[in-house]
Amino acid sequence: MKQLIRHAAALISTVILAASLSGACAGREQGQNMEQCTGTIYTLRTAILYPLIDSFPYLRVYSTDAQVVDGTPEADILVNWVGGDNATLKLGESATLEKVGTFTLIGMEPPAHGKRWPDPVVCFEQDPQLMDTARQYAADNNLYFRPDDEEARQS
């Protein structure tokens, strides 16, 4: 009987935690006016690196931590790049990496399928110099980079 009560208490606690996280992730701060994303939207699953340029795996964005603090979603967003950067963004906040672009935390997806943490949703607005920066990085490091080469992308 004690074990049944413990299991019931654990289940109730889990449901309450999931409901509070879901509400915090789905809602926005009071009075916050979010702009619509004009760039690329990434939902950053834990431990997955997302390339910012197709067929160029040397520039990636990912998240190592997402949580709700005092009812406000926040996430650690990292850019894997020489001279790369990382930032902890609260919902609606942005960080700009020079010659790469601007990253804005626009939402959080609540935990699902047994996961413990929410997934941050980021809007990436590319800097006009990004492709030139990538070309220079590739040249400096003896890497192949021709985003307009369809044959190379398929191989």
Side-chain angles (χ1 to χ4, degrees):
M1 184 66 170
K2 286 182 183 180
Q3 193 173 24
L4 181 62
I5 292 172
R6 275 193 226 142
H7 286 299
L11 178 63
I12 291 169
S13 297
T14 302
V15 168
I16 291 170
L17 177 62
S20 65
L21 277 174
S22 179
C25 291
R28 292 197 173 121
E29 288 184 72
Q30 289 283 335
Q32 184 176 15
N33 185 11
M34 294 292 292
E35 293 182 27
Q36 194 163 1
C37 179
T38 58
T40 304
I41 295 176
Y42 293 94
T43 300
L44 303 176
R45 311 277 186 241
T46 304
I48 297 177
L49 303 172
Y50 295 87
L52 296 176
I53 300 172
D54 287 339
S55 74
F56 191 66
Y58 307 103
L59 174 59
R60 302 170 292 212
V61 63
Y62 61 103
S63 177
T64 57
D65 185 33
Q67 58 189 336
V68 178
V69 177
D70 296 328
T72 302
E74 66 179 45
D76 291 337
I77 309 299
L78 295 91
V79 178
N80 189 335
W81 177 264
V82 170
D85 206 356
N86 65 322
T88 299
L89 301 177
K90 292 183 179 175
L91 188 63
E93 289 183 339
S94 298
T96 300
L97 182 56
E98 186 179 353
K99 297 182 182 179
V100 173
T102 300
F103 301 86
T104 304
L105 182 62
I106 61 172
M108 291 274 229
E109 287 190 0
H113 308 294
K115 290 177 35 181
R116 293 181 155 195
W117 314 115
D119 293 321
V121 180
V122 174
C123 175
F124 171 63
E125 297 182 64
Q126 178 178 317
D127 186 288
Q129 296 180 36
L130 175 62
M131 296 306 258
D132 292 335
T133 303
R135 279 186 191 90
Q136 187 62 52
Y137 177 81
D140 291 348
N141 292 283
N142 202 24
L143 303 169
Y144 181 83
F145 178 68
R146 286 194 42 208
D148 55 341
D149 186 348
E150 189 65 34
E151 185 178 316
R153 280 189 279 186
Q154 293 176 357
S155 59

